[in-house]
Structures are given as C-alpha cells and as structure tokens.
Amino acid sequence: MASLPAHLVAARAEASAQRPRHQPCPRCQADTIVARTADRVAAVAEHLHFRDAAAAIGMSQPALSGAVSTLEEILGVTLLERTTRRVLLSPAGERLAPRAKAVLNEVGNLLEEAEAVRAPFTGTVRLGVIPTVAPYLLPTVLRLIRSAYPRLELQVHEEQTSSLVEGLLAGRLDLLLLATPLGVPGLHELPLFDEDFVLITPLDHPLGGREGVPREALRDVDLLLLDEGHCLRDQALDVCREAGRTDRPVTTGAAGLATLVQLVAGGLGVTLLPRTALRVEAGRSSQLLTGTFTTPAPSRRVGLVLRSGAARAHEYEELAAALREALRPLPVRVREG
C-alpha cells in the first residue's frame, strides 16, 4: 500500500492534536467519591469518635478525617461538628447518615446476590451466635460446614441477642443462631429444634435428681440466673412466672453458664439449664444433681434468623434443613421445615 504524501500526514496530525479530548464528567467523579466515602461517614455516625470509627473500618484516623472533609466539600454541607473531645452529627449529618447506611446495605446486597449466583455456598457468611448456644451447637455446625460446604468461609461472632439483632438489621451480620421467636419486623426465622430445661441443684437439695418435678416447685427455691441481657435469663423468668412465682426475689449469679453452675455446686441455689448444655456444664463438677420436670417440661426453641428478602435466603433454608438432620443425635426435638 502506497504511503500518504507528507503534507497529508502532517495535516492529519495537526487535526488530531486540535480535536477535543474526552474529559471526565465532574458529576461522575463526585458520585464516585461519594460512593467510596459513604462507609466512612456511616462509621463516624455510628461511633461518634474518629479513632473508634477508623479502627472499625481498618484505616488511619487522619485518612478517615480527610475523607469525611472531602465529602463535606463535595456535598457543600457540614456533616460533623468537631470538638477536641467528641464528634457530633450536624443537622445535615443527621439527615444524610441514614442514607449512607442504606446505600451501603444495598451495595452489600448486590455483591452478596452476585456471589450467590456465581456459586452457592461459597464466599463468607458472618454468623452470630448467643453465648448459651455457641459452646454446645458450634461443634455440630462447624463439622457440617467443613464436610458439606467446604468452600464456605464461616465467621463466628458470639454476642447477646440484642447486639446480634442490631448487627443483622444493620448488615454487619448475615445469619443468626439463637433462641426464637424474636418477633422483629424485617427478620425471617427458620426454626431448628425445641429443647427442655432441666433443674440443676447441689447434692443436698431436696429436689436434686428427681424426675417429674412440678413447675410449681420453682416458687420456693433460691434461683440463680444469668445477668441482664441474656435471653436465657428472660426465658427462665417466664418459666417462673408461669409457675406462679411472683414476689420471691431471683438471685443473679453470673455472666456465663459455666460460672452459674459452679455457684450451684457451691450451694448458693439452683438453676435451669437447656439440655444441650447439660453434658458440658454439669460435667464440670461432681457436686451437682439433675432434675427433670413433668411433661410438658419448660423449653426453648432455637433457630436460624436472616433478613427478610436476603439474597442468600435459599442457601440458608438449605443449611437449616441440613442442620436439623445433623442435630438429631442431640437431646432435642427437631422441628420439621
């Protein structure tokens, strides 16, 4: 092919140099920065402290402060009122922070759904578990995950019920394993099993080791319970109210079942344990006896809880079905789907 004359080559080069180059859209650039910094604003709004917020999202405090300042400049509003001691949301921040959280939740849902479509039971699931369930059910849960879903990365968070529910609604957690029903709007429950409570007493207690203990016997015992905030405490108090216990004070004994059982072994009172905890906790001491209640015994229900409309709902339902089968060897009554 013949080459172009030199004057045409020069003319083309000059025209190309004069042609306007594509310039990035300023609005698009601003939108990108806003999207990237929404999590920073949400973190500061939650913690109201730059150091704590920076630690929560894994970045330095100066970088976080700079990102928020950049966003304020782009939006043309002040989001935070900064003092030497604390951070407060401005009126504009009060209005915009919830929107930032909503944007982050939607982005998270989009990524989660895309991951589920690509390959079910892969990626990460953040599972929240209450302390009165975790030590007794997690071995079964983890064995099931390793054998049936080896490509699923399970991250476990042990917290009290209120914190778990808050984390699930906020998108910090994906799935909960805890006592139900919760009755919280926006959440969907998948029941797994029911289990009875048993009565744990010292060796010399008159109810020690008895079968068919009537619930009414709880009216006149020194009852030790977990601290405020544990759902097991609330369930035990419900059992006591059903038994007609109204004015006798309840002694709060401990922050965990292990300590609570040792207080019983020391003769300070009696307590209620779910059957799944019996082998682990009562096995710690030879100074304990176990009594069972008349039928129907007081009980609790345990299940999985997810957000209504969760992108991976089908996977969680399948996981619940597999868990029901895996839990059958335990002293529980498995709920059928």
Side-chain angles (χ1 to χ4, degrees), residues 46-47 61 73-74 95 106 118 123 145 147 192 202-203 214-216 224 242 261 279 295 302 312-313 328-329:
E46 178 180 354
H47 295 277
Q61 185 174 337
E73 183 178 345
I74 291 173
R95 292 183 59 183
E106 287 303 314
R118 286 197 303 271
I145 296 297
S147 61
L192 296 176
L203 291 179
R215 295 192 191 198
E216 291 73 20
L224 303 177
E242 292 171 2
V261 167
R279 183 179 60 84
T295 304
V302 174
R312 307 183 75 169
R328 288 190 185 278

Side-chain angles (χ1 to χ4, degrees), residues 197-214 217-218 220-224 245 257 260-274 278 281-293:
F197 289 114
V198 294
L199 184 65
I200 305 299
T201 71
L203 291 179
D204 58 356
H205 197 278
L207 297 177
R210 282 183 50 183
E211 295 183 1
V213 175
L218 295 174
D220 303 313
V221 296
D222 295 321
L223 191 62
L224 303 177
R245 182 178 181 137
L257 287 181
L260 192 65
V261 167
Q262 294 306 312
L263 294 177
V264 173
L268 296 185
V270 304
T271 195
L272 299 177
L273 274 189
L278 181 60
E281 301 302 347
R284 300 177 188 272
S285 174
S286 60
Q287 303 301 306
L288 299 169
L289 290 175
T290 302
T292 59
F293 291 95

Side-chain angles (χ1 to χ4, degrees), residues 59-142:
M59 67 185 305
S60 69
Q61 185 174 337
L64 174 60
S65 180
V68 174
S69 297
T70 299
L71 182 59
E72 289 178 319
E73 183 178 345
I74 291 173
L75 296 177
V77 296
T78 299
L79 299 174
L80 304 174
E81 296 178 1
R82 302 164 175 84
T83 70
T84 56
R85 294 187 176 182
R86 60 179 180 172
V87 175
L88 297 175
L89 289 176
S90 69
E94 291 279 3
R95 292 183 59 183
L96 296 180
R99 292 184 176 236
K101 291 182 180 180
V103 168
L104 291 172
N105 287 340
E106 287 303 314
V107 171
N109 290 339
L110 175 64
L111 296 174
E112 183 181 349
E113 188 159 1
E115 186 176 31
V117 169
R118 286 197 303 271
F121 292 105
T122 60
T124 301
V125 170
R126 298 162 297 178
L127 175 68
V129 192
I130 55 174
T132 57
V133 162
Y136 322 116
L137 298 189
L138 278 181
T140 300
V141 173
L142 296 178

Side-chain angles (χ1 to χ4, degrees), residues 129-318:
V129 192
I130 55 174
T132 57
V133 162
Y136 322 116
L137 298 189
L138 278 181
T140 300
V141 173
L142 296 178
R143 280 195 300 269
L144 173 66
I145 296 297
R146 284 196 300 267
S147 61
Y149 313 110
R151 297 177 62 192
L152 188 66
E153 179 187 350
L154 194 66
Q155 296 180 357
V156 178
H157 302 261
E158 185 184 41
E159 302 168 22
Q160 292 185 5
T161 298
S162 59
S163 176
L164 293 179
V165 170
E166 181 183 345
L168 183 61
L169 289 172
R172 178 174 61 85
L173 300 171
D174 303 310
L175 189 64
L176 307 182
L177 176 61
L178 74 179
T180 59
L182 298 174
V184 177
L187 299 184
H188 178 59
E189 300 176 3
L190 302 173
L192 296 176
F193 63 84
D194 295 336
E195 65 173 329
D196 293 340
F197 289 114
V198 294
L199 184 65
I200 305 299
T201 71
L203 291 179
D204 58 356
H205 197 278
L207 297 177
R210 282 183 50 183
E211 295 183 1
V213 175
R215 295 192 191 198
E216 291 73 20
L218 295 174
R219 297 174 183 173
D220 303 313
V221 296
D222 295 321
L223 191 62
L224 303 177
L225 297 178
L226 293 175
D227 291 337
E228 295 281 354
H230 288 276
C231 62
L232 186 59
R233 173 188 173 88
D234 297 331
Q235 293 158 358
L237 288 174
D238 287 341
V239 172
C240 291
R241 280 189 286 268
E242 292 171 2
R245 182 178 181 137
T246 56
D247 56 353
R248 186 179 177 89
V250 173
T251 302
T252 298
L257 287 181
T259 302
L260 192 65
V261 167
Q262 294 306 312
L263 294 177
V264 173
L268 296 185
V270 304
T271 195
L272 299 177
L273 274 189
R275 275 196 173 272
T276 51
L278 181 60
R279 183 179 60 84
V280 173
E281 301 302 347
R284 300 177 188 272
S285 174
S286 60
Q287 303 301 306
L288 299 169
L289 290 175
T290 302
T292 59
F293 291 95
T294 54
T295 304
S299 63
R300 71 172 179 176
R301 179 166 297 171
V302 174
L304 294 177
V305 179
L306 56 144
R307 288 183 296 276
S308 300
R312 307 183 75 169
H314 179 71
E315 292 177 61
Y316 299 151
E317 290 170 358
E318 182 177 329

